[in-house]
Amino acid sequence: MSLWQVVLLVARAGGASFYGVLATMCTTGIGLAAVLVLGRSLAAGLTRQDGRPGLSLWLLLAAVVLLVAVVAFGRMVGGGLHRLLTEKVIRWCEEQITLLSAHSELIEFDTPAFHDRLVRARRASTSALQITLAVPRVIAASLTVGGLVVAVALTAPVLLPVALLSGLPVLLTGRALGERLLTFTWGHTPSDRERQHIENILESRDQAAEIRVFGIQDFLADRWRHLYDERIDEIRDLVRGFLRRAVVAAVGVAASLTVLLVSLAWLLARGHVDLLAAVTVGVSVLILSNQSQTIAANVGALREHSGQLADFLATMRLLDRLAGTGVDRRPAAGPLTRLDVDQLTFSYPAANRPALSDVSFSLRGDEMVAIVGHNGSGKTTLAKLLCGLYEAQSGEVRWNGRPIRAQDPGNEIGAVFQSFARYWFSAADNIRVGAAVGPVDADLDRVRAAAREAEADGFLAGLPRGYETLLAAELAGGVDLSVGQWQRVAIARVLYRDPSLVVLDEPTASLDAEAEAKLFSTLSRLRGSRAVLVISHRFSTVRVADRILVLDNGRLIEQGTHDELMTLGGKYAGMYSQQAAAYA
């Protein structure tokens, strides 16, 4: 990523704030060089003045005073504008990552590269801060150097090459350090992710109890220390290398300044320059060297952080390609009348075998179908494919005769997966998000109707603020629910959505027997007007389904009613008999 691209990126994110900061810093940089040049002229005029100062000297003095005031004003105003610019750039960076997370395909979340990219991009908030600081500083310092070079060229042009060379070693050192830091940052992304994962575990309320039961606090803390120590050790090696380069750069600067001072002394002794010119050149070169160090430090930061921000350019290009960034142009799917699954085969990115192989069946729009099978048989994967969340390697899912991924299901699909979301929202909003495509419906009666169907109205109405209670013990005034209560809220979310296809992945896993019976009574009433797909290990509940699909190692090996499968005496009959015997 070139410096020019970085400048354009910061300008795009900061808008008017960027140009305000740039103007104040440029004014400061140019003003400093102008003060030096005009100050020399003023001093020369004063030394030649025998009587009272003339009008030209008073004007020159006024100009110097005005420039000093402008420089001071620019520095003070620039500080405030810089803070605003920083916030705007960080906000813009965070927005890009939020959009990427929101609109990426589900399959991306199964790839380590995607998560590495998110972590690197999240770091870009810090990178954006550093770049926001560095870009105006480099520009302002460059303008200052330009002004000083002009001052030296006007005063003692023969010394200009020496003056320019005095800052070169520092610039080269800063560039090399930036490149090494960028390589280090990219290489440590996986271990940084692991360290962040440990931090999240230790800070998690949900996992705090298990950690303390097993007594693994110190184990996790030691693993965190080990990962961080590896990072520190590598940074220590980087610093050693930088120190060696810094010594070489310092020797180069000292040598160039020595040559400059000796040259000045020789020119002064020969009468080629006067004392005032010599002082002007000396001060100019010292400031030039200081500004070169400023440029070097900030160019090094730009080399490191612009490499990280290069992810943002790729992110923006990716966001432009994602269908979710704009209005979905696919035709509306319409209510489901028939769902056909034809020779469906799907593999996860890192898997060594397919999760599903050649699965085919059909589902009517008024039918309840149950999916059973051992853990890892592909049940949840199949449910996600039916919802259009994954794209199969071969075969397809057809919604009313057309490929599901070529249509926009809108609110026609509702699902509760095993890892359902627990939003830090009010109880009402936790249900309303089930139909949050567009403005959130504020109809509390409809919310309560869905909660009643899911057997959740009783405990939600009894909360301290009823349905307006925040469901998060981590927030002030919030409360938490039991796992079973949360599951009922998740089911109410689907019922509030009122879809034509309901997918429930282990919907009764955390419900007691009475709540489970009521839920399936509700589902039995619903199936006449919509399709219901249920994944469950409880055979006492799935037997009421119109049809049962049996998966084994990703293949559909049996399907039929409960009685038909029991008569068949195959896999289903064996699993059912084994579970029934346990209850007996």
Side-chain angles (χ1 to χ4, degrees):
M1 190 175 188
S2 68
L3 177 59
W4 178 243
Q5 288 176 306
V6 173
V7 173
L8 290 179
L9 189 149
V10 175
R12 172 182 175 182
S17 301
F18 170 77
Y19 297 104
V21 170
L22 192 59
T24 56
M25 287 199 166
C26 290
T27 300
T28 301
I30 296 174
L32 184 61
V35 166
L36 189 62
V37 174
L38 294 179
R40 175 184 176 276
S41 299
L42 178 62
L46 290 174
T47 56
R48 293 193 301 267
Q49 188 71 34
D50 296 330
R52 297 175 58 186
L55 178 61
S56 60
L57 286 180
W58 283 113
L59 292 175
L60 198 57
L61 177 62
V64 170
V65 172
L66 179 60
L67 281 173
V68 171
V70 168
V71 168
F73 175 79
R75 285 179 173 172
M76 289 185 290
V77 173
L81 288 175
H82 220 151
R83 176 58 185 270
L84 177 60
L85 173 62
T86 298
E87 292 294 334
K88 291 178 71 173
V89 171
I90 290 177
R91 188 260 186 200
W92 179 83
C93 291
E94 293 288 341
E95 181 182 24
Q96 304 309 304
I97 305 307
T98 299
L99 291 173
L100 176 63
S101 302
H103 296 303
S104 292
E105 296 284 350
L106 183 62
I107 193 66
E108 295 286 351
F109 290 85
D110 294 310
T111 60
F114 175 75
H115 295 283
D116 284 347
R117 183 176 190 175
L118 283 181
V119 170
R120 290 197 304 268
R122 284 291 178 196
R123 285 204 196 105
S125 294
T126 302
S127 296
L129 172 61
Q130 298 301 324
I131 286 176
T132 304
L133 294 170
V135 168
R137 286 173 179 170
V138 168
I139 295 175
S142 299
L143 289 172
T144 302
V145 167
L148 293 171
V149 167
V150 171
V152 173
L154 293 175
T155 306
V158 70
L159 295 176
L160 184 59
V162 180
L164 292 175
L165 289 174
S166 67
L168 186 60
V170 179
L171 289 173
L172 294 177
T173 301
R175 177 186 175 91
L177 178 63
E179 292 175 346
R180 292 200 63 189
L181 285 174
L182 174 60
T183 303
F184 163 79
T185 300
W186 277 65
H188 266 265
T189 300
S191 62
D192 290 345
R193 279 181 52 212
E194 185 178 352
R195 194 178 70 250
Q196 183 63 54
H197 173 65
I198 294 174
E199 292 172 5
N200 292 339
I201 290 175
L202 289 172
E203 295 169 5
S204 170
R205 177 175 174 271
D206 293 335
Q207 295 174 320
E210 178 177 323
I211 289 171
R212 282 151 182 78
V213 166
F214 288 107
I216 59 174
Q217 301 97 314
D218 291 336
F219 168 79
L220 293 172
D222 287 342
R223 189 172 183 85
W224 183 91
R225 291 190 194 97
H226 173 71
L227 291 169
Y228 223 132
D229 287 345
E230 287 183 340
R231 180 181 178 87
I232 295 296
D233 289 341
E234 192 162 339
I235 291 178
R236 188 178 290 113
D237 291 339
L238 284 175
V239 170
R240 290 194 187 103
F242 174 65
L243 287 176
R244 289 191 293 269
R245 292 174 179 270
V247 169
V248 175
V251 171
V253 171
S256 62
L257 289 178
T258 300
V259 171
L260 177 73
L261 293 175
V262 170
S263 301
L264 271 177
W266 185 85
L267 291 173
L268 189 61
R270 296 294 186 276
H272 295 298
V273 296
D274 58 21
L275 180 60
L276 186 58
V279 171
T280 301
V281 171
V283 173
S284 297
V285 171
L286 288 176
I287 298 176
L288 190 149
S289 178
N290 176 266
Q291 292 298 311
S292 297
Q293 293 176 35
T294 299
I295 295 173
N298 287 283
V299 165
L302 286 175
R303 290 289 299 176
E304 176 191 359
H305 296 291
S306 64
Q308 294 186 40
L309 275 183
D311 271 352
F312 270 99
L313 293 181
T315 296
M316 286 184 287
R317 288 192 292 268
L318 178 60
L319 283 172
D320 290 339
R321 295 196 301 269
L322 289 173
T325 54
V327 177
D328 199 327
R329 294 180 174 84
R330 295 176 298 170
L336 178 66
T337 58
R338 183 180 178 86
L339 191 73
D340 295 298
V341 178
D342 184 18
Q343 298 293 308
L344 205 60
T345 297
F346 175 79
S347 296
Y348 287 100
N352 54 14
R353 67 176 182 85
L356 294 172
S357 298
D358 298 323
V359 174
S360 298
F361 66 93
S362 296
L363 173 66
R364 298 192 313 271
D366 59 351
E367 190 177 17
M368 175 188 273
V369 171
I371 304 178
V372 299
H374 292 304
N375 291 333
S377 60
K379 303 185 299 297
T380 298
T381 301
L382 177 58
K384 291 178 179 177
L385 282 160
L386 298 183
C387 293
L389 299 177
Y390 287 142
E391 186 171 1
Q393 279 77 34
S394 64
E396 65 179 4
V397 179
R398 293 190 294 273
W399 182 287
N400 297 339
R402 299 175 57 196
I404 188 170
R405 292 185 66 84
Q407 304 177 69
D408 175 20
N411 281 355
E412 295 298 335
I413 299 176
V416 178
F417 296 106
Q418 295 181 51
S419 55
F420 55 84
R422 307 180 186 188
Y423 300 105
W424 284 12
F425 301 161
S426 68
D429 284 345
N430 258 282
I431 296 174
R432 286 190 184 114
V433 294
V437 179
V440 176
D441 192 338
D443 184 2
L444 185 59
D445 290 338
R446 184 180 161 201
V447 169
R448 298 198 63 162
R452 281 193 294 272
E453 281 192 286
E455 298 293 326
D457 180 60
F459 63 83
L460 293 180
L463 294 175
R465 296 181 57 202
Y467 278 78
E468 295 307 311
T469 304
L470 292 174
L471 300 187
E474 295 88 343
L475 299 179
V479 301
D480 198 7
L481 304 176
S482 69
V483 176
Q485 289 173 326
W486 266 116
Q487 195 160 33
R488 290 185 229 179
V489 170
I491 294 169
R493 190 179 299 151
V494 172
L495 298 175
Y496 178 85
R497 187 178 182 85
D498 194 26
S500 58
L501 172 62
V502 176
V503 177
L504 302 174
D505 188 357
E506 296 292 349
T508 62
S510 301
L511 301 183
D512 55 50
E514 182 180 0
E516 179 185 13
K518 291 181 179 179
L519 172 62
F520 271 92
S521 175
T522 298
L523 294 179
S524 296
R525 293 195 305 271
L526 292 176
R527 64 180 169 183
S529 58
R530 72 199 69 213
V532 180
L533 185 73
V534 181
I535 298 172
S536 181
H537 286 95
R538 296 190 183 183
F539 291 89
S540 58
T541 56
V542 302
R543 63 180 298 174
V544 303
D546 297 312
R547 195 151 40 96
I548 301 170
L549 309 180
V550 184
L551 291 180
D552 184 50
N553 290 322
R555 294 185 177 275
L556 179 60
I557 59 172
E558 299 174 7
Q559 61 176 309
T561 66
H562 170 76
D563 292 337
E564 289 171 346
L565 294 176
M566 291 301 294
T567 301
L568 182 65
K571 187 78 171 181
Y572 175 84
M575 291 189 296
Y576 181 86
S577 299
Q578 185 178 27
Q579 192 171 107
Y583 279 105

